[in-house]
Amino acid sequence: MTIKVFGHTSPDTDSTGSPIIWAWYLSEVRGTPAVPVLLGEPNTEAAFVIEKWGFDKPEIISELAAGDKVVIVDTNNPSELPDSIHDADIIQIIDHHKLSGGLETKAPIDITIKPLACTATIMHNLMGDNASKMPDNIKGAMLSCILSDTLEFRSPTTTDQDRDLATSLAAELNIDLSTYAAEMFEAKSDISAFSDAELIRMDSKEYETGGTKFRVSVLETTAPKIVLDRKLSLMESFQLVATEDGVDEVLLFVVDILNEEATLFVPNERVKGVAEKSFGVTVESDTVVLPGVMSRKKQIIPNLKV
C-alpha cells in the first residue's frame, strides 16, 4: 500500500515541501512507495515553491480511508488533521512543534520531534548519508522550507543547524540565498486573490488557554500595508470565522518580515485585554504594534493570557 505523507491543514511551505521531500525519500531511497498529499490549498509562497522547483501540485485530500498508511509531518495536533485520522494507520510522525497529544496509533510507531525551526531540517538529519542522493529539486524544496519557517533566519526559532543547512543547500544549488528568500516572501505577500476569511485561515492554529478558544492567525509579509489596508473588512469577518470554526476569538498578527515586528488587530475589549496581559503593551486603538514579535510558536502562543 502506498503511504500518504502530509502536514497540517492550511498548508504553508513547510507543510507542502516536507511531504514532497519525505515521500521522495521513502520511495527513492527506502524503496517504500509513498506520495505527498495536502490538506488544503497551499498558500501563495508554497505554490511558488512548487512551480519554482518543477513539482506537480500534490493531490488535495480531506478524508482518509480506514487502514490508509500515513506519515504525518510538521504537526502532531489532531485539530490540524482530518477527523478520519483515527481510522488511518499512522506509521511515523516527524515534527518540530510541542507534543499536543490526542493521536492514537494502531501499533508502536517512529516519532521524531526536535526543537529545530523546520521539519525539513529534521528530515535531513534522519536521512544521514542518504541526503547526498537528493536531486536539485528536493534540495530546493528543503531550502525553501527552512527559509520560510525561519523568515530567512530572522525568527527566534532559528537554530545553527537550520542556518548551516540552508547555507549549504544554497551553495550546492548555486543560489543567492537572500535573493531567493526575497522572491519567496514577495510571493507570500501577494494576497489579492484571497477573501478575508481565507486570509484569516491561511496560516492559523487553534489554541485554548484559560477556558478561551482562539484561532491564532499570522500573515507574514514584506508589504504589511496591503493587509493593514483591509483592516476593517478583516475585523468584520472575525466573528463569522470564529462562529464557523467553533472558537471564541480570532487573533490576527500581521508579521512585518523586514522590520521584524507584528501588528495585532484589536477588534474588542477581550482581545485588548489579551494583548495587554500577554505582551505588556497599552492598547489605545484597534491595532497594536509588537516590536520583535515574529514567531507564533515561540513568542505568541506561549505568552497568551486571558
Side-chain angles (χ1 to χ4, degrees):
M1 178 181 290
T2 299
I3 298 169
K4 293 182 173 72
V5 187
F6 52 82
H8 53 71
T9 53
S10 303
D12 55 14
T13 298
D14 199 16
S15 262
T16 300
S18 286
I20 290 173
I21 294 164
W22 202 245
W24 167 83
Y25 174 71
L26 291 176
S27 297
E28 301 301 324
V29 177
R30 299 275 295 272
T32 304
V35 294
V37 295
L38 300 177
L39 303 183
E41 284 288 342
N43 68 17
T44 50
E45 182 186 75
F48 165 81
V49 170
I50 289 172
E51 181 177 359
K52 168 75 174 181
W53 297 102
F55 296 108
D56 293 330
K57 185 172 79 171
E59 178 187 1
I60 296 174
I61 66 170
S62 58
E63 297 294 332
L64 297 163
D68 275 354
K69 291 187 178 298
V70 304
V71 173
I72 300 169
V73 304
D74 196 31
T75 186
N76 67 86
N77 189 342
S79 70
E80 298 177 342
L81 298 166
D83 291 340
S84 52
I85 189 64
H86 297 289
D87 298 324
D89 183 7
I90 304 169
I91 61 175
Q92 187 176 26
I93 297 172
I94 306 172
D95 192 15
H96 65 131
H97 297 94
K98 70 174 185 177
L99 188 62
S100 296
L103 289 177
E104 183 174 340
T105 63
K106 301 183 184 307
I109 70 168
D110 186 351
I111 298 179
T112 305
I113 300 177
K114 295 286 188 181
L116 299 177
C118 181
T119 307
T121 307
I122 300 171
M123 290 177 172
H124 187 272
N125 292 346
L126 292 174
M127 289 180 191
D129 291 342
N130 287 316
S132 64
K133 300 176 182 177
M134 291 190 298
D136 283 355
N137 63 343
I138 296 296
K139 292 178 182 178
M142 187 171 284
L143 171 63
S144 303
C145 292
I146 299 169
L147 291 177
S148 179
D149 267 13
T150 65
L151 297 177
E152 196 191 352
F153 316 134
R154 295 176 176 87
S155 171
T157 61
T158 306
T159 70
D160 288 343
Q161 285 189 52
D162 298 295
R163 187 190 306 272
D164 292 346
L165 177 56
T167 302
S168 175
L169 290 168
E172 291 174 25
L173 293 166
N174 196 27
I175 284 178
D176 182 82
L177 192 149
S178 292
T179 299
Y180 178 55
E183 292 176 357
M184 288 176 52
F185 298 154
E186 182 178 356
K188 180 184 292 188
S189 300
D190 181 7
I191 60 169
S192 57
F194 296 95
S195 69
D196 292 336
E198 287 171 331
L199 282 180
I200 293 166
R201 294 187 176 105
M202 182 179 292
D203 187 359
S204 66
K205 296 183 184 293
E206 293 182 16
Y207 179 73
E208 181 174 352
T209 184
T212 302
K213 294 181 179 179
F214 295 100
R215 175 164 292 286
V216 184
S217 303
V218 297
L219 290 173
E220 299 164 344
T221 178
T222 56
K225 186 177 184 300
I226 295 174
V227 185
L228 296 175
D229 284 347
R230 292 173 61 172
K231 176 183 65 176
L232 294 181
S233 63
L234 281 164
M235 288 199 297
E236 287 174 358
S237 299
F238 283 0
Q239 188 55 56
L240 174 63
V241 170
T243 300
E244 289 181 348
D245 295 358
V247 300
D248 298 304
E249 293 288 351
V250 169
L251 303 179
L252 177 60
F253 297 80
V254 182
V255 175
D256 184 335
I257 297 172
L258 299 182
N259 288 320
E260 300 188 18
E261 64 185 21
T263 299
L264 170 63
F265 288 0
V266 184
N268 55 43
E269 286 298 313
R270 178 153 59 179
V271 173
K272 176 182 178 181
V274 170
E276 292 183 338
K277 292 177 184 177
S278 303
F279 302 104
V281 295
T282 299
V283 179
E284 298 179 342
S285 67
D286 57 6
T287 62
V288 61
V289 175
L290 307 173
V293 173
M294 305 280 285
S295 169
R296 175 174 48 205
K297 182 172 68 174
K298 197 165 188 176
Q299 295 173 302
I300 294 176
I301 284 181
N303 290 322
L304 289 182
K305 302 178 182 67
V306 295

